[in-house]
Amino acid sequence: MFELAAVFLLCAVALSYLIVTETDLLKAVAYSGVFGGLILLTLYVLMAPDVILAYVAISVGLSTGLMVFVVSKTTRHEVV
């Protein structure tokens, strides 16, 4: 079971690099949502249901929705 959690966390680390280097802000928000899903799966494998319930409400739902709203009010691409 811990091997599966390690694979999810390794994918999350690789995805965090994509989030930081992406210049399209909407794609970065989508990657952030997938990152939250990977952390959620890791917590599920580690059998932490109480933490999962709080994490779904805050990270995956509220945070991603708020970031999409903020990106819609600004320009979509980051100027470097």
Side-chain angles (χ1 to χ4, degrees):
M1 287 301 247
F2 290 113
E3 293 85 10
L4 190 58
V7 169
F8 287 146
L9 287 176
L10 186 63
C11 291
V13 168
L15 196 59
S16 66
Y17 174 77
L18 287 175
I19 292 169
V20 171
T21 59
E22 183 63 49
T23 58
D24 186 358
L25 297 177
L26 198 56
K27 282 185 185 178
V29 169
Y31 291 155
S32 176
V34 173
F35 177 84
L38 286 172
I39 298 298
L40 185 106
L41 287 172
T42 303
L43 292 172
Y44 178 75
V45 168
L46 295 176
M47 292 182 251
D50 50 343
V51 179
I52 291 173
L53 291 175
Y55 192 78
V56 166
I58 296 169
S59 176
V60 177
L62 186 66
S63 178
T64 304
L66 184 64
M67 284 191 284
V68 167
F69 175 73
V70 169
V71 168
S72 72
K73 297 293 181 186
T74 61
T75 60
R76 182 172 172 177
H77 293 280
E78 180 182 13
V79 178
V80 179

PDB file of all heavy atoms in Angstrom, residues 52-76:
ATOM      1  N   ILE A  52      -9.413  13.492   4.374  1.00  0.00           N
ATOM      2  CA  ILE A  52      -9.916  13.539   3.000  1.00  0.00           C
ATOM      3  C   ILE A  52     -11.146  14.433   2.902  1.00  0.00           C
ATOM      4  O   ILE A  52     -11.262  15.236   1.968  1.00  0.00           O
ATOM      5  CB  ILE A  52     -10.241  12.120   2.487  1.00  0.00           C
ATOM      6  CG1 ILE A  52      -8.956  11.325   2.299  1.00  0.00           C
ATOM      7  CG2 ILE A  52     -10.999  12.175   1.181  1.00  0.00           C
ATOM      8  CD1 ILE A  52      -9.192   9.875   1.971  1.00  0.00           C
ATOM      9  N   LEU A  53     -12.057  14.324   3.836  1.00  0.00           N
ATOM     10  CA  LEU A  53     -13.277  15.132   3.787  1.00  0.00           C
ATOM     11  C   LEU A  53     -12.969  16.618   3.866  1.00  0.00           C
ATOM     12  O   LEU A  53     -13.559  17.431   3.135  1.00  0.00           O
ATOM     13  CB  LEU A  53     -14.221  14.720   4.917  1.00  0.00           C
ATOM     14  CG  LEU A  53     -14.840  13.342   4.773  1.00  0.00           C
ATOM     15  CD1 LEU A  53     -15.653  13.007   6.007  1.00  0.00           C
ATOM     16  CD2 LEU A  53     -15.715  13.278   3.540  1.00  0.00           C
ATOM     17  N   ALA A  54     -12.052  17.003   4.712  1.00  0.00           N
ATOM     18  CA  ALA A  54     -11.678  18.411   4.809  1.00  0.00           C
ATOM     19  C   ALA A  54     -10.913  18.851   3.565  1.00  0.00           C
ATOM     20  O   ALA A  54     -11.129  19.956   3.059  1.00  0.00           O
ATOM     21  CB  ALA A  54     -10.842  18.639   6.057  1.00  0.00           C
ATOM     22  N   TYR A  55     -10.054  17.995   3.052  1.00  0.00           N
ATOM     23  CA  TYR A  55      -9.227  18.353   1.898  1.00  0.00           C
ATOM     24  C   TYR A  55     -10.066  18.531   0.640  1.00  0.00           C
ATOM     25  O   TYR A  55      -9.797  19.423  -0.162  1.00  0.00           O
ATOM     26  CB  TYR A  55      -8.155  17.288   1.683  1.00  0.00           C
ATOM     27  CG  TYR A  55      -7.094  17.707   0.707  1.00  0.00           C
ATOM     28  CD1 TYR A  55      -6.088  18.576   1.101  1.00  0.00           C
ATOM     29  CD2 TYR A  55      -7.101  17.267  -0.606  1.00  0.00           C
ATOM     30  CE1 TYR A  55      -5.108  18.980   0.216  1.00  0.00           C
ATOM     31  CE2 TYR A  55      -6.136  17.665  -1.504  1.00  0.00           C
ATOM     32  CZ  TYR A  55      -5.142  18.514  -1.088  1.00  0.00           C
ATOM     33  OH  TYR A  55      -4.188  18.929  -1.957  1.00  0.00           O
ATOM     34  N   VAL A  56     -11.083  17.689   0.458  1.00  0.00           N
ATOM     35  CA  VAL A  56     -11.946  17.813  -0.718  1.00  0.00           C
ATOM     36  C   VAL A  56     -12.668  19.145  -0.699  1.00  0.00           C
ATOM     37  O   VAL A  56     -12.725  19.855  -1.707  1.00  0.00           O
ATOM     38  CB  VAL A  56     -12.952  16.642  -0.786  1.00  0.00           C
ATOM     39  CG1 VAL A  56     -14.051  16.925  -1.783  1.00  0.00           C
ATOM     40  CG2 VAL A  56     -12.243  15.358  -1.150  1.00  0.00           C
ATOM     41  N   ALA A  57     -13.209  19.513   0.436  1.00  0.00           N
ATOM     42  CA  ALA A  57     -13.980  20.749   0.521  1.00  0.00           C
ATOM     43  C   ALA A  57     -13.105  21.977   0.309  1.00  0.00           C
ATOM     44  O   ALA A  57     -13.498  22.911  -0.391  1.00  0.00           O
ATOM     45  CB  ALA A  57     -14.666  20.823   1.879  1.00  0.00           C
ATOM     46  N   ILE A  58     -11.930  21.988   0.866  1.00  0.00           N
ATOM     47  CA  ILE A  58     -11.095  23.193   0.820  1.00  0.00           C
ATOM     48  C   ILE A  58     -10.234  23.245  -0.436  1.00  0.00           C
ATOM     49  O   ILE A  58     -10.300  24.202  -1.208  1.00  0.00           O
ATOM     50  CB  ILE A  58     -10.219  23.281   2.081  1.00  0.00           C
ATOM     51  CG1 ILE A  58     -11.105  23.443   3.303  1.00  0.00           C
ATOM     52  CG2 ILE A  58      -9.234  24.424   1.980  1.00  0.00           C
ATOM     53  CD1 ILE A  58     -10.390  23.277   4.604  1.00  0.00           C
ATOM     54  N   SER A  59      -9.445  22.236  -0.658  1.00  0.00           N
ATOM     55  CA  SER A  59      -8.449  22.305  -1.721  1.00  0.00           C
ATOM     56  C   SER A  59      -9.036  22.089  -3.104  1.00  0.00           C
ATOM     57  O   SER A  59      -8.856  22.917  -3.988  1.00  0.00           O
ATOM     58  CB  SER A  59      -7.350  21.280  -1.471  1.00  0.00           C
ATOM     59  OG  SER A  59      -6.446  21.290  -2.539  1.00  0.00           O
ATOM     60  N   VAL A  60      -9.715  20.990  -3.285  1.00  0.00           N
ATOM     61  CA  VAL A  60     -10.187  20.653  -4.624  1.00  0.00           C
ATOM     62  C   VAL A  60     -11.361  21.532  -5.031  1.00  0.00           C
ATOM     63  O   VAL A  60     -11.415  22.037  -6.147  1.00  0.00           O
ATOM     64  CB  VAL A  60     -10.554  19.151  -4.699  1.00  0.00           C
ATOM     65  CG1 VAL A  60     -11.109  18.808  -6.045  1.00  0.00           C
ATOM     66  CG2 VAL A  60      -9.333  18.296  -4.394  1.00  0.00           C
ATOM     67  N   GLY A  61     -12.282  21.780  -4.135  1.00  0.00           N
ATOM     68  CA  GLY A  61     -13.462  22.557  -4.487  1.00  0.00           C
ATOM     69  C   GLY A  61     -13.274  24.050  -4.409  1.00  0.00           C
ATOM     70  O   GLY A  61     -13.318  24.763  -5.415  1.00  0.00           O
ATOM     71  N   LEU A  62     -13.066  24.562  -3.237  1.00  0.00           N
ATOM     72  CA  LEU A  62     -13.033  26.005  -3.003  1.00  0.00           C
ATOM     73  C   LEU A  62     -11.822  26.673  -3.640  1.00  0.00           C
ATOM     74  O   LEU A  62     -11.951  27.688  -4.341  1.00  0.00           O
ATOM     75  CB  LEU A  62     -13.064  26.271  -1.499  1.00  0.00           C
ATOM     76  CG  LEU A  62     -13.169  27.719  -1.056  1.00  0.00           C
ATOM     77  CD1 LEU A  62     -14.511  28.287  -1.469  1.00  0.00           C
ATOM     78  CD2 LEU A  62     -12.988  27.820   0.432  1.00  0.00           C
ATOM     79  N   SER A  63     -10.661  26.120  -3.436  1.00  0.00           N
ATOM     80  CA  SER A  63      -9.434  26.743  -3.927  1.00  0.00           C
ATOM     81  C   SER A  63      -9.382  26.764  -5.451  1.00  0.00           C
ATOM     82  O   SER A  63      -9.061  27.802  -6.056  1.00  0.00           O
ATOM     83  CB  SER A  63      -8.229  25.994  -3.365  1.00  0.00           C
ATOM     84  OG  SER A  63      -7.046  26.531  -3.861  1.00  0.00           O
ATOM     85  N   THR A  64      -9.692  25.651  -6.103  1.00  0.00           N
ATOM     86  CA  THR A  64      -9.650  25.596  -7.559  1.00  0.00           C
ATOM     87  C   THR A  64     -10.702  26.518  -8.163  1.00  0.00           C
ATOM     88  O   THR A  64     -10.427  27.234  -9.129  1.00  0.00           O
ATOM     89  CB  THR A  64      -9.847  24.153  -8.046  1.00  0.00           C
ATOM     90  OG1 THR A  64      -8.864  23.321  -7.436  1.00  0.00           O
ATOM     91  CG2 THR A  64      -9.732  24.064  -9.545  1.00  0.00           C
ATOM     92  N   GLY A  65     -11.888  26.521  -7.603  1.00  0.00           N
ATOM     93  CA  GLY A  65     -12.936  27.408  -8.105  1.00  0.00           C
ATOM     94  C   GLY A  65     -12.582  28.870  -7.962  1.00  0.00           C
ATOM     95  O   GLY A  65     -12.828  29.682  -8.863  1.00  0.00           O
ATOM     96  N   LEU A  66     -11.978  29.229  -6.852  1.00  0.00           N
ATOM     97  CA  LEU A  66     -11.566  30.616  -6.635  1.00  0.00           C
ATOM     98  C   LEU A  66     -10.456  31.024  -7.599  1.00  0.00           C
ATOM     99  O   LEU A  66     -10.466  32.139  -8.141  1.00  0.00           O
ATOM    100  CB  LEU A  66     -11.112  30.800  -5.186  1.00  0.00           C
ATOM    101  CG  LEU A  66     -10.741  32.212  -4.765  1.00  0.00           C
ATOM    102  CD1 LEU A  66     -11.961  33.121  -4.849  1.00  0.00           C
ATOM    103  CD2 LEU A  66     -10.202  32.207  -3.359  1.00  0.00           C
ATOM    104  N   MET A  67      -9.510  30.125  -7.848  1.00  0.00           N
ATOM    105  CA  MET A  67      -8.432  30.444  -8.779  1.00  0.00           C
ATOM    106  C   MET A  67      -8.951  30.604 -10.205  1.00  0.00           C
ATOM    107  O   MET A  67      -8.490  31.473 -10.943  1.00  0.00           O
ATOM    108  CB  MET A  67      -7.333  29.385  -8.711  1.00  0.00           C
ATOM    109  CG  MET A  67      -6.464  29.512  -7.486  1.00  0.00           C
ATOM    110  SD  MET A  67      -4.994  28.486  -7.539  1.00  0.00           S
ATOM    111  CE  MET A  67      -5.669  26.875  -7.200  1.00  0.00           C
ATOM    112  N   VAL A  68      -9.914  29.780 -10.619  1.00  0.00           N
ATOM    113  CA  VAL A  68     -10.508  29.925 -11.951  1.00  0.00           C
ATOM    114  C   VAL A  68     -11.212  31.273 -12.058  1.00  0.00           C
ATOM    115  O   VAL A  68     -11.118  31.965 -13.079  1.00  0.00           O
ATOM    116  CB  VAL A  68     -11.469  28.758 -12.256  1.00  0.00           C
ATOM    117  CG1 VAL A  68     -12.315  29.049 -13.480  1.00  0.00           C
ATOM    118  CG2 VAL A  68     -10.699  27.467 -12.448  1.00  0.00           C
ATOM    119  N   PHE A  69     -11.915  31.692 -11.024  1.00  0.00           N
ATOM    120  CA  PHE A  69     -12.582  32.989 -11.019  1.00  0.00           C
ATOM    121  C   PHE A  69     -11.575  34.128 -11.141  1.00  0.00           C
ATOM    122  O   PHE A  69     -11.772  35.068 -11.913  1.00  0.00           O
ATOM    123  CB  PHE A  69     -13.419  33.152  -9.745  1.00  0.00           C
ATOM    124  CG  PHE A  69     -14.038  34.502  -9.598  1.00  0.00           C
ATOM    125  CD1 PHE A  69     -15.114  34.874 -10.386  1.00  0.00           C
ATOM    126  CD2 PHE A  69     -13.533  35.415  -8.688  1.00  0.00           C
ATOM    127  CE1 PHE A  69     -15.678  36.126 -10.258  1.00  0.00           C
ATOM    128  CE2 PHE A  69     -14.086  36.665  -8.545  1.00  0.00           C
ATOM    129  CZ  PHE A  69     -15.170  37.020  -9.346  1.00  0.00           C
ATOM    130  N   VAL A  70     -10.476  34.043 -10.401  1.00  0.00           N
ATOM    131  CA  VAL A  70      -9.464  35.105 -10.444  1.00  0.00           C
ATOM    132  C   VAL A  70      -8.786  35.156 -11.811  1.00  0.00           C
ATOM    133  O   VAL A  70      -8.546  36.240 -12.352  1.00  0.00           O
ATOM    134  CB  VAL A  70      -8.435  34.909  -9.309  1.00  0.00           C
ATOM    135  CG1 VAL A  70      -7.236  35.812  -9.478  1.00  0.00           C
ATOM    136  CG2 VAL A  70      -9.093  35.141  -7.974  1.00  0.00           C
ATOM    137  N   VAL A  71      -8.495  33.998 -12.399  1.00  0.00           N
ATOM    138  CA  VAL A  71      -7.868  33.976 -13.723  1.00  0.00           C
ATOM    139  C   VAL A  71      -8.820  34.543 -14.767  1.00  0.00           C
ATOM    140  O   VAL A  71      -8.397  35.221 -15.703  1.00  0.00           O
ATOM    141  CB  VAL A  71      -7.410  32.546 -14.087  1.00  0.00           C
ATOM    142  CG1 VAL A  71      -7.029  32.436 -15.552  1.00  0.00           C
ATOM    143  CG2 VAL A  71      -6.231  32.137 -13.226  1.00  0.00           C
ATOM    144  N   SER A  72     -10.122  34.310 -14.612  1.00  0.00           N
ATOM    145  CA  SER A  72     -11.078  34.855 -15.577  1.00  0.00           C
ATOM    146  C   SER A  72     -11.140  36.379 -15.515  1.00  0.00           C
ATOM    147  O   SER A  72     -11.518  37.024 -16.482  1.00  0.00           O
ATOM    148  CB  SER A  72     -12.471  34.265 -15.345  1.00  0.00           C
ATOM    149  OG  SER A  72     -13.038  34.783 -14.157  1.00  0.00           O
ATOM    150  N   LYS A  73     -10.762  36.974 -14.398  1.00  0.00           N
ATOM    151  CA  LYS A  73     -10.757  38.430 -14.255  1.00  0.00           C
ATOM    152  C   LYS A  73      -9.453  39.069 -14.729  1.00  0.00           C
ATOM    153  O   LYS A  73      -9.368  40.283 -14.817  1.00  0.00           O
ATOM    154  CB  LYS A  73     -11.002  38.832 -12.789  1.00  0.00           C
ATOM    155  CG  LYS A  73     -12.338  38.405 -12.259  1.00  0.00           C
ATOM    156  CD  LYS A  73     -13.440  39.152 -12.963  1.00  0.00           C
ATOM    157  CE  LYS A  73     -14.775  38.729 -12.400  1.00  0.00           C
ATOM    158  NZ  LYS A  73     -15.888  39.314 -13.129  1.00  0.00           N
ATOM    159  N   THR A  74      -8.434  38.266 -15.005  1.00  0.00           N
ATOM    160  CA  THR A  74      -7.145  38.786 -15.460  1.00  0.00           C
ATOM    161  C   THR A  74      -6.858  38.229 -16.851  1.00  0.00           C
ATOM    162  O   THR A  74      -7.699  37.598 -17.469  1.00  0.00           O
ATOM    163  CB  THR A  74      -6.015  38.360 -14.504  1.00  0.00           C
ATOM    164  OG1 THR A  74      -5.927  36.946 -14.485  1.00  0.00           O
ATOM    165  CG2 THR A  74      -6.263  38.869 -13.109  1.00  0.00           C
ATOM    166  N   THR A  75      -5.642  38.457 -17.328  1.00  0.00           N
ATOM    167  CA  THR A  75      -5.248  37.860 -18.604  1.00  0.00           C
ATOM    168  C   THR A  75      -4.898  36.396 -18.385  1.00  0.00           C
ATOM    169  O   THR A  75      -4.442  36.011 -17.306  1.00  0.00           O
ATOM    170  CB  THR A  75      -4.045  38.593 -19.209  1.00  0.00           C
ATOM    171  OG1 THR A  75      -2.952  38.516 -18.298  1.00  0.00           O
ATOM    172  CG2 THR A  75      -4.379  40.051 -19.484  1.00  0.00           C
ATOM    173  N   ARG A  76      -5.128  35.608 -19.418  1.00  0.00           N
ATOM    174  CA  ARG A  76      -4.939  34.165 -19.255  1.00  0.00           C
ATOM    175  C   ARG A  76      -3.466  33.767 -19.261  1.00  0.00           C
ATOM    176  O   ARG A  76      -3.065  32.848 -18.559  1.00  0.00           O
ATOM    177  CB  ARG A  76      -5.685  33.440 -20.373  1.00  0.00           C
ATOM    178  CG  ARG A  76      -5.592  31.950 -20.263  1.00  0.00           C
ATOM    179  CD  ARG A  76      -6.485  31.256 -21.241  1.00  0.00           C
ATOM    180  NE  ARG A  76      -6.218  29.841 -21.211  1.00  0.00           N
ATOM    181  CZ  ARG A  76      -6.878  28.967 -21.910  1.00  0.00           C
ATOM    182  NH1 ARG A  76      -7.857  29.351 -22.684  1.00  0.00           N
ATOM    183  NH2 ARG A  76      -6.586  27.693 -21.843  1.00  0.00           N
TER     184      ARG A  76
END
